[in-house]
């Protein structure tokens, strides 16, 4: 049944309006998602940096903007399906049409910049549709979340920038950021075990509690190696120290919910934007 029709029920032969709350745009674009968008341009910029791309190229700027717009739309699509599937909101047909169509329009636009960029953005779009739309909803399964959020999406983000470079992105660079994303994904799923049980989703296995920190620590050590080898600028040591401190906090016994972790995302967004400017200046 379409989501727009779920606000009606037929118990006595006539349709009665339920008490479901209609979703508003602020429900679809929650404040905690806005800082997270900073992750997309910095990942694209890192891919461009690793591949020795020219940051003055207009096409690279276009790729940064399109990738960020795409993930703004995809995050909103995920929130829309969450509030309808998990919180019993009602979403208007107009809102559904906009959110299902916008990512496709962004992908079509990317075709005029580069076919390779089109492939990267389309792959992320297909993955996110499969991740959250009710008919498939792969987010029910912890392993597919691990593969999509922890591995595929960060690589595709970086590749969206690397395609403008003159060299291949180093394997170690890709591996480092996959490990960091895997660690973050493990932590998110371990903090959402109660929610997953309530919704009958697959719950993260107990080994996630030790494998997640291993992934995070390995990623941080790898990032230090990238700085030592000057694959990353030396100033990134400062970011690694901050990330390491936040990782210790995130995996500590003091954090019991995603809401607690999200309090630090605004700071992350500001640091990511500064890093983006510094990366561009370094090239």
């Amino acid at each position: 049944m379409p989501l727009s029709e779920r606000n009606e029920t037929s118990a006595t032969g006539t349709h009665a309006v339920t008490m479901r709350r209609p979703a508003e745009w602020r429900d679809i674009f929650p404040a905690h998602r806005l800082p997270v968008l900073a992750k997309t341009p910095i990942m694209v910029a890192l891919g461009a940096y690793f591949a020795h791309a020219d940051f003055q190229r207009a096409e690279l700027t276009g790729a940064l903007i399109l990738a960020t717009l795409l993930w703004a739309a995809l995050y909103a699509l995920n929130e829309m399906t969450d509030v309808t599937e998990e919180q019993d909101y009602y979403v208007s047909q107009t809102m559904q049409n906009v959110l299902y169509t916008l990512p496709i329009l962004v992908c079509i636009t990317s075709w005029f910049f580069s076919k390779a960029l089109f492939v990267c953005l389309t792959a992320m779009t297909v993955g996110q549709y499969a991740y959250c739309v009710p008919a498939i909803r792969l987010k029910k399964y912890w392993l597919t979340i691990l593969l999509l959020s922890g591995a595929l999406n960060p690589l595709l983000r970086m590749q969206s920038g690397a395609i403008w470079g003159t060299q291949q992105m180093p394997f170690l660079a890709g591996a480092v950021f996959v490990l960091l994303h895997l660690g973050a994904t493990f932590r998110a799923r371990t903090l959402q075990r109660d929610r997953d049980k309530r919704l009958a989703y697959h719950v993260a296995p107990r080994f996630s509690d030790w494998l997640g920190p291993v992934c995070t620590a390995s990623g941080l050590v790898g990032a230090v190696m990238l700085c030592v080898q000057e694959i990353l600028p030396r100033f990134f040591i400062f970011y690694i120290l901050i990330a390491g401190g936040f990782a210790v906090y995130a995996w500590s016994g003091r954090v019991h919910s995603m809401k607690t972790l999200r309090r630090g995302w605004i700071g992350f967004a500001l640091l990511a934007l500064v890093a983006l400017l510094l990366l561009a200046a370094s090239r």
Side-chain angles (χ1 to χ4, degrees):
M1 180 184 295
L3 296 177
S4 60
E5 296 177 6
R6 293 187 185 178
N7 69 321
E8 296 183 344
T9 182
S10 178
T12 62
T14 59
H15 290 284
V17 179
T18 69
M19 298 302 292
R20 299 181 72 186
R21 174 186 169 186
E24 300 179 11
W25 285 108
R26 66 172 177 266
D27 299 314
I28 305 305
F29 292 96
H32 71 261
R33 282 296 187 192
L34 298 179
V36 180
L37 288 177
K39 177 173 68 174
T40 295
I42 189 61
M43 292 296 290
V44 175
L46 282 168
Y49 186 89
F50 290 140
H52 293 260
D54 180 3
F55 277 79
Q56 301 301 316
R57 290 188 64 174
E59 296 92 340
L60 177 55
T61 302
L64 284 164
I65 294 172
L66 287 175
T68 303
L69 286 175
L70 176 68
W71 275 101
L74 292 176
Y75 281 137
L77 178 65
N78 178 65
E79 292 293 335
M80 182 192 74
T81 59
D82 279 355
V83 298
T84 55
E85 295 296 309
E86 299 176 5
Q87 302 176 37
D88 207 32
Y89 279 55
Y90 159 67
V91 178
S92 70
Q93 189 65 54
T94 298
M95 187 181 291
Q96 289 183 63
N97 292 340
V98 169
L99 294 178
Y100 277 111
T101 303
L102 189 56
I104 297 173
L105 293 178
V106 173
C107 291
I108 292 173
T109 303
S110 71
W111 176 270
F112 299 98
F113 284 77
S114 163
K115 293 180 180 178
L117 180 62
F118 171 80
V119 170
C120 290
L121 299 193
T122 300
M124 288 188 284
T125 299
V126 171
Q128 190 70 0
Y129 272 49
Y131 173 81
C132 66
V133 297
I136 307 174
R137 207 153 177 83
L138 293 180
K139 70 185 303 178
K140 295 179 180 179
Y141 311 103
W142 75 273
L143 181 58
T144 53
I145 291 179
L146 207 62
L147 295 175
L148 284 172
S149 300
L152 183 61
N153 285 335
L155 287 175
L156 287 172
R157 282 182 171 102
M158 287 194 291
Q159 189 60 29
S160 297
I163 58 176
W164 309 103
T166 58
Q167 301 181 17
Q168 292 291 325
M169 185 170 62
F171 173 81
L172 179 60
V176 162
F177 287 93
V178 166
L179 284 169
L180 290 173
H181 278 79
L182 285 172
T185 304
F186 271 123
R187 187 55 180 142
R189 296 305 288 186
T190 57
L191 289 173
Q192 293 175 319
R193 283 190 174 116
D194 289 339
R195 183 210 67 169
D196 291 344
K197 290 177 182 178
R198 174 171 53 85
L199 296 171
Y201 290 179
H202 285 199
V203 177
R206 286 298 168 188
F207 65 74
S208 303
D209 295 305
W210 63 263
L211 186 54
V214 168
C215 289
T216 300
S218 300
L220 291 171
V221 171
V224 172
M225 293 175 60
L226 290 176
C227 291
V228 171
Q229 298 175 17
E230 297 187 344
I231 298 174
L232 266 177
R234 290 291 177 90
F235 69 78
F236 256 83
I237 289 288
F238 169 73
Y239 285 91
I240 295 169
L241 291 174
I242 294 176
F246 187 77
V248 171
Y249 168 71
W251 284 100
S252 71
R254 292 179 296 171
V255 177
H256 303 287
S257 69
M258 287 298 296
K259 183 178 180 180
T260 303
L261 283 185
R262 285 168 180 163
R263 294 171 185 167
W265 286 1
I266 293 178
F268 167 81
L270 294 174
L271 289 171
L273 291 175
V274 172
L276 176 62
L277 295 174
L278 292 174
L279 279 176
S282 299
R283 284 285 185 232

